[in-house]
Amino acid sequence: MGRISRICILGGGTAGWMSAAALSRKFKGLDLEITLVESDQIGTVGVGEATLPHIRLFNQALGIDEQNFMKSTEATFKLGIQFCDWGRLGDHYIHPFGDYGLPLDDLDFHQFWLRSRQGGNKVRLSDYSYPVLAAEKGRFRIPEGDVNTIGSNFGYAYQFDASLYARFLRSYSEENGTRRVEGRVNDVELDGETGAVRSVTLESGAKIEADLFVDCSGFRGLLIEQALETGYEDWSHWLPCNRAIAVPCESRGELLPYTRATARTAGWQWRIPLQHRTGNGHVYWNEFISDDEATSQLMSSLEGPSLADPKQLFFKTGRRKKFWNRNVVSIGLSAGFLEPLESTSIHLIQEGITALVELFPIDAIEAQDIAEYNDRMALNFERVRDFLLLHYVATQRDDSEMWRYFRSMELPDSLQEKISAWTARGYVLKYEFGTFLPPSWVAVMLGQNLVPESHDPRVDRYDMTTMMERLERIRMETAQAVAATPSQAEFLQQYGAAS
Ligand code: FAD
């Protein structure tokens, strides 16, 4: 196969329009023809509201103005996720996007905190985290200045309406030369010799030929699976939740800068505050709860009147055996699915696009680029899988069949090693690849009562009194920085991002 001059993106959900936006911007002037096909009749999955801080880099790379984007997508700021009832019923903690305290001499702050407990320190590790304290008080401001100072050592993400984001990126992509074609694809033609996709044909009879296809057709994986039969690696024995009910409702109370994930008997429930409404959903394992019961648990816990009928979604956790097969790159739900417990799906779309841009086969599709892409994406998916699984296995709950299932589970080696290193001395083994940095692992492990037996012996060389004074100084400075922070609602107005 020769030079790539025509790209066809199949699907106009979040994955399709993010791909179109990035490719049309990055390869502007390279004589690439980009066509996106989508079908209003089929529609999009219509959920997906919480994100990770990395999305800011994506928007910045496209030159998107933050205030305009936030107004257009009804976005709120997100400092982390609050997990309720995961370790034990009644427990709650926040996984923040940021560091705890400040490191010293290359030693992580949490190591000093672990030792300080021997000196009688009863303060939570969270009390040394600006994003946790700001989130708990409903406050927000953008970090400014040196990232190594208290009050600035954090990141933030957004909670937004993903359908509005796709619409926003559609205008952006069309302005950058992407051609949109409306219609339902009902036939895919393969090259008899290479087995690659040659063209897709719409119901209208129109045929679209391309050199490279980006499959963003959602769970159905129209090209990667239905046409190329790539295969799926099923991970439901690790992450068995397989259904969800989603429903938006009217907002009540303060506009909180965090997503909430509350553990349930056979799954968990999300709450995502946007400017104009609150998104809610119940992710569950249908083996242990009926659809009716899952719906009624969700509906009875809404904070305000629902704004639509509940929508049911079906999925199987796992990933495509090859994300890139022949001349088809799958991005989004067509590539795989991991439940939205840590808001990772849109992030995995971003990772797929970033890798595709880096390895883009301008001159020809090379086997080593495909292999590199597949290795990278496989690692990305595996790392996220391990992190999600941690939430289910680092628990003391045994009050339902689902929790008992997780208590007796054999873990992937990669996760078992991570947990063992942590429980021995509070080490967080670093992955070669991975979305979640050590503070995220610390947040979940400690938040779910996995307390290390000891600490890094290198902190023993510090004098206990001086160390405790330093910790207290950091705690006070953190509290002062939070006290000087406006509420998220005030900040949205001041910043010009309120819709
Ligand atoms: P879709 O939105 O399904 O889009 C598929 C596109 O393909 C549509 O445009 C459709 O018209 C088109 N198409 C399909 N077949 C054809 C055809 N034959 N002809 C023409 N066009 C066709 N992600 C997060 O990051 N955060 C979250 O909080 C989050 N929550 C989620 C909750 C649930 C319950 C689920 C299921 C997912 C969640 N996600 C979340 C994931 C997120 O919704 C998706 O990753 C994201 O929306 C991308 O979807 P997509 O574009 O791959 O697919």
Side-chain angles (χ1 to χ4, degrees):
M1 190 170 272
R3 192 177 191 284
I4 305 295
S5 57
R6 297 163 305 172
I7 302 175
C8 173
I9 299 170
L10 175 53
T14 317
W17 284 115
M18 282 179 75
S19 303
L23 295 176
S24 61
R25 167 81 175 212
K26 294 281 173 186
F27 298 118
K28 207 170 186 167
L30 269 187
D31 204 17
L32 266 184
E33 191 185 294
I34 303 176
T35 305
L36 183 145
V37 189
E38 67 176 319
S39 159
D40 285 343
Q41 199 191 342
I42 295 176
T44 63
V45 71
V47 279
E49 298 167 328
T51 61
L52 293 180
H54 314 65
I55 194 167
R56 288 169 42 223
L57 297 176
F58 184 82
N59 285 351
Q60 280 160 12
L62 298 183
I64 287 173
D65 172 73
E66 187 173 54
Q67 286 96 326
N68 183 20
F69 147 78
M70 290 191 74
K71 277 192 230 173
S72 308
T73 60
E74 299 283 352
T76 54
F77 293 104
K78 175 178 172 188
L79 286 167
I81 303 180
Q82 183 186 48
F83 289 92
C84 301
D85 298 337
W86 285 84
R88 285 181 295 243
L89 279 166
D91 281 2
H92 58 86
Y93 68 93
I94 289 184
H95 161 201
F97 300 140
D99 288 336
Y100 293 97
L102 293 174
L104 181 65
D105 299 335
D106 284 336
L107 288 165
D108 289 332
F109 180 82
H110 74 263
Q111 293 290 358
F112 293 95
W113 175 80
L114 283 172
R115 179 165 171 239
S116 75
R117 286 157 54 92
Q118 293 171 355
N121 186 8
K122 297 265 185 292
V123 174
R124 303 176 306 167
L125 183 63
S126 294
D127 287 319
Y128 304 95
S129 160
Y130 173 87
V132 172
L133 294 187
E136 285 176 345
K137 294 197 176 329
R139 299 182 183 196
F140 183 85
R141 65 159 170 72
I142 285 178
E144 289 164 349
D146 187 344
V147 291
N148 297 316
T149 55
I150 294 290
S152 293
N153 52 349
F154 69 98
Y156 68 92
Y158 312 107
Q159 302 164 129
F160 60 41
D161 182 328
S163 312
L164 295 179
Y165 186 50
R167 197 180 300 165
F168 181 84
L169 292 180
R170 174 179 161 185
S171 313
Y172 177 95
S173 308
E174 288 181 327
E175 277 161 27
N176 279 287
T178 299
R179 179 172 73 107
R180 175 185 181 270
V181 175
E182 163 62 34
R184 188 186 186 114
V185 169
N186 63 3
D187 194 30
V188 180
E189 187 193 1
L190 301 185
D191 185 297
E193 231 171 85
T194 61
V197 174
R198 188 184 278 167
S199 65
V200 293
T201 306
L202 309 187
E203 243 168 12
S204 63
K207 187 185 260 201
I208 299 169
E209 293 185 339
D211 309 308
L212 183 77
F213 288 83
V214 184
D215 186 350
C216 298
S217 63
F219 284 127
R220 48 180 66 75
L222 201 77
L223 304 178
I224 196 79
E225 196 56 53
Q226 291 183 15
L228 296 187
E229 299 179 355
T230 303
Y232 195 74
E233 207 172 293
D234 183 349
W235 287 345
S236 5
H237 53 296
W238 281 315
L239 293 169
C241 285
N242 54 0
R243 293 188 183 185
I245 309 279
V247 68
C249 75
E250 283 180 19
S251 309
R252 292 283 182 272
E254 207 177 351
L255 194 57
L256 297 175
Y258 60 85
T259 294
R260 180 177 296 143
T262 306
R264 295 289 204 163
T265 50
W268 61 277
Q269 193 174 319
W270 79 73
R271 176 191 183 275
I272 306 179
L274 311 188
Q275 288 195 39
H276 62 320
R277 61 167 163 80
T278 300
N280 308 277
H282 188 176
V283 172
Y284 58 99
W285 185 3
N286 77 326
E287 178 108 355
F288 298 128
I289 190 170
S290 69
D291 296 333
D292 285 349
E293 177 58 18
T295 310
S296 101
Q297 276 189 13
L298 176 68
M299 299 307 281
S300 62
S301 65
L302 297 185
E303 66 198 32
S306 60
L307 296 170
D309 290 334
K311 178 174 180 173
Q312 185 166 29
L313 298 122
F314 302 85
F315 48 82
K316 188 196 282 177
T317 307
R319 69 166 178 91
R320 210 55 70 194
K321 284 190 175 147
K322 291 178 192 166
F323 298 89
W324 181 342
N325 188 4
R326 298 192 172 88
N327 65 338
V328 174
V329 182
S330 56
I331 293 184
L333 298 173
S334 64
F337 185 71
L338 292 166
E339 61 191 74
L341 185 55
E342 283 281 357
S343 320
T344 44
S345 289
I346 294 175
H347 173 70
L348 288 167
I349 293 174
Q350 183 180 346
E351 290 286 342
I353 295 171
T354 307
L356 177 60
V357 166
E358 268 176 51
L359 299 166
F360 195 79
I362 291 277
D363 293 325
I365 294 178
E366 303 283 358
Q368 72 263 25
D369 291 338
I370 297 182
E372 167 73 17
Y373 184 93
N374 286 332
D375 287 352
R376 258 197 228 183
M377 290 310 294
L379 272 178
N380 267 312
F381 267 74
E382 274 167 37
R383 301 314 190 209
V384 171
R385 177 202 67 198
D386 283 3
F387 192 55
L388 299 187
L389 187 48
L390 174 70
H391 298 66
Y392 286 101
V393 297
T395 184
Q396 297 78 58
R397 285 190 67 165
D398 61 359
D399 52 292
S400 70
E401 291 289 342
M402 183 189 80
W403 295 108
R404 287 192 283 277
Y405 172 87
F406 284 109
R407 285 173 78 102
S408 60
M409 171 184 279
E410 194 173 326
L411 301 184
D413 291 345
S414 45
L415 177 57
Q416 188 55 62
E417 284 160 14
K418 207 119 176 165
I419 293 178
S420 304
W422 169 258
T423 42
R425 278 190 189 155
Y427 287 137
V428 183
L429 294 183
K430 293 206 175 82
Y431 282 147
E432 174 205 345
F433 246 87
T435 300
F436 294 100
L437 298 174
S440 296
W441 287 83
V442 171
V444 177
M445 292 196 276
L446 271 184
Q448 297 191 197
N449 313 310
L450 217 55
V451 182
E453 284 147 26
S454 184
H455 53 263
D456 187 325
R458 288 175 295 173
V459 294
D460 289 333
R461 66 176 187 254
Y462 297 86
D463 169 64
M464 180 67 98
T465 312
T466 320
M467 191 190 81
M468 296 283 260
E469 283 168 4
R470 177 174 179 265
L471 259 64
E472 181 52 14
R473 216 170 36 246
I474 291 176
R475 190 195 64 75
M476 278 172 52
E477 280 176 28
T478 308
Q480 281 159 6
V482 171
T485 302
S487 73
Q488 141 137 280
E490 283 164 351
F491 188 78
L492 280 167
Q493 287 292 347
Q494 274 171 29
Y495 189 55
S499 64

